Structures are given as structure tokens and as C-alpha cells.
Amino acid sequence: MTLFSGLEALLEERGFASAVVRRVAAAAILVSAALLVLGGLLLPFLSWPFWLGAGAALGCWNFVSMAFVVQRIFAKSKGTANISGKILLAQLAGTNLRLFITGILVYVSLVSFSANVFALAGGLSVTVFLIPLLALGRNDRPEDSSGQGKRN
């Protein structure tokens, strides 16, 4: 079992039902962890790889948290549009709080620690780059009704 497939299995146990979302979340976690570790190792020599990893970790945290909550909401509503207002309000509050914390961390990184703006922004966009790379390029269509396999 590879690290990627093990992480995907862990995410599935935690409630990530969609294979595409699991694949993107696992990749985002591994890429951001690798960038953060590499940046930490290179910090005595260069600071921008660390800020790239820090931005990637923030972006990954936002994506994985949002994906988890959205999948949980759809699992509770059983695929219908019947979602209670309390659930949506909790989702909105959680999302805003997470983005507020991200904003504070970015501000502190830029002002107090003189982080490289481009590295931090590039790190924040790593997950956004992974989504089309991993999700849209896959041929995960279901079998057709005749049982002939995947349609092209």
C-alpha cells in the first residue's frame, strides 16, 4: 500500500465519499506536507520555499475542511435539496471563521515575518492547481446500461 492510497483509505473512513474529492484531498495533503517539510529544511538558506509550503498548508486546510463539510451535508440530505437552515448557517459560520483565521495568518506572515508575497500566494493556489489536474483529467465515468464498460 502506498502512502497515497493509505491516505485515500483514511479519508474514506473519515467520510469522504467521492473518489474524486478523496484523490484531490489526498494529493493536496501530501503536496502541502512535502512543500512545508522541504521549505523547513531550506529555511536557513532561502525563505521563499517555507512560505510556499505555509501557503500550501493553509490552502489545503481550507479545501479539505470545506470538502469534508460539504460531503457530510449531502450525505445527511441523501442527495436531495432538503438541507436545513441550521446546517447551512453552521457551514457559513465555519467557512467564514476558517477564512478569517487564514486572513489573519497571511497578514501576520506578511507584516510580522516579511513573508515573500509571491511564494505565499503561490502556496495558497497549489490546491486550486491540483483540482483540474487530478479531477478533470480522469476518465471516471460509470458503465453504460448495456454493461459494455466505460463510455467514451
Side-chain angles (χ1 to χ4, degrees), residues 1-134:
M1 177 183 279
T2 65
L3 183 62
F4 187 79
S5 60
L7 185 55
E8 269 192 300
L10 179 68
L11 290 172
E12 187 173 15
E13 288 175 15
R14 301 280 177 167
F16 281 78
S18 170
V20 174
V21 175
R22 255 194 331 267
R23 185 180 315 117
V24 173
I29 291 168
L30 291 176
V31 167
S32 64
L35 287 172
L36 196 56
V37 168
L38 183 66
L41 292 174
L42 292 175
L43 191 57
F45 311 106
L46 295 168
S47 66
W48 70 263
F50 174 76
W51 295 115
L52 183 73
L58 282 173
C60 175
W61 173 53
N62 281 301
F63 174 77
V64 170
S65 299
M66 177 70 79
F68 176 72
V69 171
V70 168
Q71 287 193 33
R72 191 173 56 186
I73 287 172
F74 281 112
K76 284 183 180 179
S77 67
K78 308 221 184 328
T80 65
N82 277 342
I83 301 172
S84 75
K86 289 180 182 179
I87 293 174
L88 290 177
L89 186 60
Q91 166 61 23
L92 183 63
T95 299
N96 285 335
L97 180 62
R98 195 170 38 255
L99 291 175
F100 181 71
I101 292 170
T102 299
I104 289 174
L105 291 173
V106 167
Y107 177 79
V108 168
S109 299
L110 292 171
V111 173
S112 298
F113 298 109
S114 300
N116 185 322
V117 176
F118 298 109
L120 199 57
L124 283 166
S125 64
V126 164
T127 303
V128 176
F129 177 72
L130 287 173
I131 292 170
L133 186 70
L134 295 172

